Amino acid sequence: MKLWTKFRKRLRKHYWNWYNSKRSKPNQRPIPTENELWLEYYADYLHIWPFRELCSRLETNTVRGLTDDAARMKLARNGQNALPIKTKHTPYILKLARHCFSIYGVLLLLSAIACFILFIWLKKNSTDGCFEYLATSCILFFTFVLYGYLQKLQEIDTEPLVTAFEDLVPRYCTVIRDGEKEIILTEKVVMGDIVPISYGQRLPADLRFFNCFGLEVNNVALTGYTDPFQIIPLSIDGRQSRYSTQIY
């Protein structure tokens, strides 16, 4: 009884220490600015928003691009330019076991175990015909493994798809910051970066084109269409100042 009381006191002490540390921990999430709230609210309409107003909201310039301080702050607030899907590779045997131990698979496995137990019990009693239960147990266990394997074949495996998308993204890209071209990691591209595109280059992020001539983009890896897509920048003043082309 004394040990139980001592254990309860220690447990209560650890709980209150943890609770007070959670309450006293300051909120480290920065307060979003007005432009960040605007971008979060109108994120689905950035490709059709007036171009000059969009540049003002992104705190960028078509000639000088972002400043280093602004890019560093956006990277700290919004995170890296990477796929949010975790590419955790699960061993094949674990995937097979997950499909085997479904409701139907568990019933097959329990039936196989029951037949095997009957075989052992009948064999100890020297009863004829006990090997039929052994054969039935083996057949049920084989069906259990085969069922899980067929379910695994029908599943759409997303790991190769995510890996293929990661291979499409270049490791480095060129951006304009403070009026100068810089080569940075693709993960450090933020919203508002001006990205010069040249022939044969892979796109580092979702882009909105505002100035180009004779540019074509091949989206066969994403859409399956082999014909290249021609980019027509409609955001130039005097033609149509509201819309421009967005590409992924």
Side-chain angles (χ1 to χ4, degrees):
M1 193 66 181
K2 292 182 179 180
L3 291 176
W4 173 247
T5 305
K6 187 177 180 180
F7 174 75
R8 288 179 58 187
K9 289 182 179 180
R10 180 173 295 182
L11 184 63
R12 190 182 298 111
K13 180 181 179 181
H14 285 297
Y15 170 76
W16 283 112
N17 289 338
W18 172 83
Y19 180 75
N20 292 330
S21 64
K22 287 291 184 180
R23 291 190 60 184
S24 61
K25 186 177 181 180
N27 188 8
Q28 298 179 355
R29 184 180 180 182
I31 300 175
T33 61
E34 180 182 355
N35 289 335
E36 288 178 345
L37 292 175
W38 184 91
L39 289 171
E40 183 178 355
Y41 187 77
Y42 293 102
D44 297 334
Y45 306 98
L46 298 183
H47 62 290
I48 61 173
W49 206 262
F51 185 69
R52 294 186 181 277
E53 182 182 353
L54 181 60
C55 290
S56 177
R57 292 290 185 178
L58 292 174
E59 302 173 1
T60 187
N61 185 278
T62 57
V63 179
R64 297 190 57 83
L66 288 173
T67 62
D68 288 335
D69 294 337
R72 195 180 303 109
M73 186 179 300
K74 288 187 177 184
L75 183 63
R77 287 175 177 268
N78 303 325
Q80 295 183 345
N81 175 39
L83 292 173
I85 306 175
K86 296 182 180 180
T87 57
K88 183 180 180 181
H89 298 283
T90 306
Y92 185 83
I93 189 66
L94 294 181
K95 293 181 181 179
L96 181 62
R98 183 182 61 193
H99 290 283
C100 287
F101 286 94
S102 60
I103 297 177
Y104 183 68
V106 169
L107 291 177
L108 288 174
L109 183 61
L110 292 177
S111 301
I113 294 174
C115 291
F116 187 74
I117 292 174
L118 284 175
F119 162 73
I120 295 176
W121 183 74
L122 292 175
K123 189 176 181 180
K124 287 183 178 181
N125 295 334
S126 300
T127 306
D128 296 335
C130 61
F131 289 97
E132 296 178 357
Y133 291 97
L134 179 61
T136 305
S137 176
C138 294
I139 293 173
L140 288 175
F141 184 77
F142 175 76
T143 308
F144 164 75
V145 177
L146 182 63
Y147 171 77
Y149 178 72
L150 294 177
Q151 291 293 322
K152 174 65 180 65
L153 291 179
Q154 294 178 359
E155 182 192 28
I156 300 176
D157 197 354
T158 58
E159 289 183 3
L161 182 62
V162 174
T163 305
F165 271 109
E166 289 182 344
D167 293 339
L168 291 176
V169 180
R171 183 169 179 79
Y172 298 94
C173 66
T174 304
V175 297
I176 298 178
R177 291 181 180 176
D178 287 329
E180 298 181 357
K181 290 185 178 181
E182 297 181 10
I183 299 177
I184 62 172
L185 290 172
T186 304
E187 299 175 351
K188 297 186 180 299
V189 175
V190 297
M191 293 184 65
D193 268 327
I194 305 299
V195 183
I197 299 297
S198 59
Y199 177 78
Q201 183 178 348
R202 290 181 294 177
L203 302 181
D206 300 344
L207 302 179
R208 173 173 172 173
F209 292 91
F210 63 89
N211 187 15
C212 64
F213 178 77
L215 179 63
E216 292 182 345
V217 177
N218 190 354
N219 289 331
V220 64
L222 298 178
T223 62
Y225 294 102
T226 57
D227 296 334
F229 180 75
Q230 186 176 4
I231 303 300
I232 302 176
L234 300 179
S235 64
I236 302 175
D237 293 337
R239 297 180 59 185
Q240 188 174 354
S241 61
R242 183 174 179 82
Y243 302 100
S244 64
T245 304
Q246 185 183 31
I247 203 70
Y248 302 93

